[in-house]
Amino acid sequence: MTEYNERDAIRLMRATLPAERADKISSDEILNIIDMIWDYYESHGCLDIDLDDDLDADSDTPAFDRDDLIKYVKKQVAKDRRSPVLPDEIEPMVLAELDYEATVDTENEI
């Protein structure tokens, strides 16, 4: 496993966009979506340290609701009327970021 790298996450999220749209959305805009995802985690207790790791390891249930996360990000993006990100582009980008997260090493993070 590797450590989280924003550039890699941005690259994978951009890859979900049609070529003609990928050039219209800056890395900063995509990074803003990553920030929204992590804001969601923080506000929903997903970043809290779980003292009983065995429960999480044995559970197939995600610690959060993906649909709720996507809805949250769509709502946040909609607040920024200048955002070039279209509503139908958000879900694939969020899912790409979540897939990327699954490939990184979280055991050694502080």
Side-chain angles (χ1 to χ4, degrees):
M1 290 192 132
T2 59
E3 291 184 20
Y4 191 95
N5 183 307
E6 289 176 346
R7 288 184 193 152
D8 290 339
I10 290 168
R11 181 179 47 78
L12 292 172
M13 293 169 73
R14 186 182 306 283
T16 68
L17 300 169
E20 67 276 0
R21 292 287 304 148
D23 293 338
K24 295 184 187 315
I25 299 175
S26 72
S27 293
D28 286 341
E29 288 292 335
I30 297 173
L31 186 57
N32 190 37
I33 291 174
I34 293 171
D35 288 343
M36 290 174 194
I37 292 168
W38 289 89
D39 288 346
Y40 175 91
Y41 291 161
E42 185 175 6
S43 67
H44 287 77
C46 298
L47 299 178
D48 295 344
I49 295 173
D50 186 0
L51 298 178
D52 191 357
D53 289 335
D54 292 336
L55 289 177
D56 285 341
D58 294 338
S59 175
D60 291 335
T61 307
F64 63 93
D65 180 344
R66 285 183 179 206
D67 292 335
D68 191 49
L69 169 61
I70 293 165
K71 183 176 159 182
Y72 172 84
V73 173
K74 284 182 177 184
K75 182 178 178 182
Q76 297 305 312
V77 170
K79 288 180 182 180
D80 182 0
R81 299 195 191 283
R82 294 176 292 166
S83 176
V85 180
L86 300 174
D88 63 334
E89 295 169 337
I90 295 170
E91 182 173 355
M93 291 174 69
V94 169
L95 294 176
E97 200 280 341
L98 294 176
D99 287 344
Y100 174 70
E101 282 180 34
T103 69
V104 299
D105 183 9
T106 57
E107 294 297 317
N108 296 321
E109 290 185 14
I110 297 175

